[in-house]
Amino acid sequence: SVLNVADIYIGVDRLRDAEQLLARSIKSQEKNSVNRGLLLNKFGEPYMYTGRYRETARSLNDAIDIHANLGGDESLEYINTAINLGILYMSQGKYPEAQQTFEAVLDKLDPSDPAYAAVLSNQALVLHSLGQLTLAERTLRDIKDIDSLTVGTHHPDYAITLSNLGLVYADLVKF
């Protein structure tokens, strides 16, 4: 599919090729189709990687509008696009906006959903960046418990959580 080819282009740093492929594909889709929303979500990636944040936000917000109209704000497509918008805010240092976006996504996810821990991890990074270290620590401890039950203690996600927890401890001077 076009999304898979775009992923390959992005993965090998051929961002311009990905952008052109996605732009052509978006033009061929109906204005309010799920496919157009998926393509717009993916279209934001080359923009974000090249620091074109305004274009990224426009693309992601257009995708969110489509997904909200078609599947509602609890659809997987909407949630995935909202997560990407939160990541965009993080990369721009817009931590309050990222925090609000991730909180809204967490409200829509079941804690047993594998995406829940990933979004919660992004939320912990935002809390850390905002200097809310005690809350970031508590959140990362929760993620560690979730990860140990869902993916196990030998999974890379568990190791990343431990690493992030170590960074918070270093800032809290808790060694």
Side-chain angles (χ1 to χ4, degrees), residues 4-170:
N4 292 336
V5 174
D7 274 337
I8 291 169
Y9 282 150
I10 292 167
V12 296
D13 206 26
R14 289 179 53 188
L15 301 177
R16 186 76 176 139
D17 292 331
E19 184 181 337
Q20 290 171 350
L21 172 68
L22 291 166
R24 283 192 311 270
S25 298
I26 289 167
K27 287 179 185 175
S28 72
Q29 297 295 316
E30 292 181 32
K31 186 170 174 97
N32 288 312
S33 69
V34 171
N35 284 341
R36 184 179 180 91
L38 293 171
L39 290 165
L40 284 165
N41 184 20
K42 180 58 69 179
F43 196 56
E45 282 185 47
Y47 283 151
M48 187 160 57
Y49 294 141
T50 56
R52 294 161 58 195
Y53 299 129
R54 185 174 299 134
E55 292 93 337
T56 306
R58 185 177 331 114
S59 181
L60 292 175
N61 281 311
D62 287 350
I64 282 174
D65 290 344
I66 289 170
H67 294 313
N69 288 331
L70 294 176
D73 65 357
E74 293 190 7
S75 70
L76 182 60
E77 294 84 4
Y78 179 95
I79 289 170
N80 285 336
T81 306
I83 291 168
N84 287 342
L85 185 61
I87 292 169
L88 170 66
Y89 290 144
M90 281 177 58
S91 67
Q92 292 178 284
K94 294 181 176 180
Y95 300 116
E97 292 91 337
Q99 184 176 25
Q100 181 180 359
T101 302
F102 291 138
E103 284 174 2
V105 169
L106 288 168
D107 286 344
K108 294 169 186 12
L109 290 173
D110 186 291
S112 65
D113 187 317
Y116 188 86
V119 175
L120 197 58
S121 182
N122 284 329
Q123 181 74 312
L125 294 174
V126 168
L127 293 168
H128 184 230
S129 296
L130 289 170
Q132 298 176 16
L133 301 178
T134 304
L135 189 52
E137 176 192 10
R138 188 173 337 123
T139 302
L140 286 164
R141 287 176 157 278
D142 290 345
I143 297 165
K144 183 175 77 92
D145 293 342
I146 292 168
D147 284 348
S148 69
L149 295 172
T150 58
V151 298
T153 58
H154 298 292
H155 192 277
D157 288 350
Y158 186 81
I160 290 168
T161 299
L162 291 178
S163 176
N164 289 339
L165 191 54
L167 294 172
V168 171
Y169 284 151

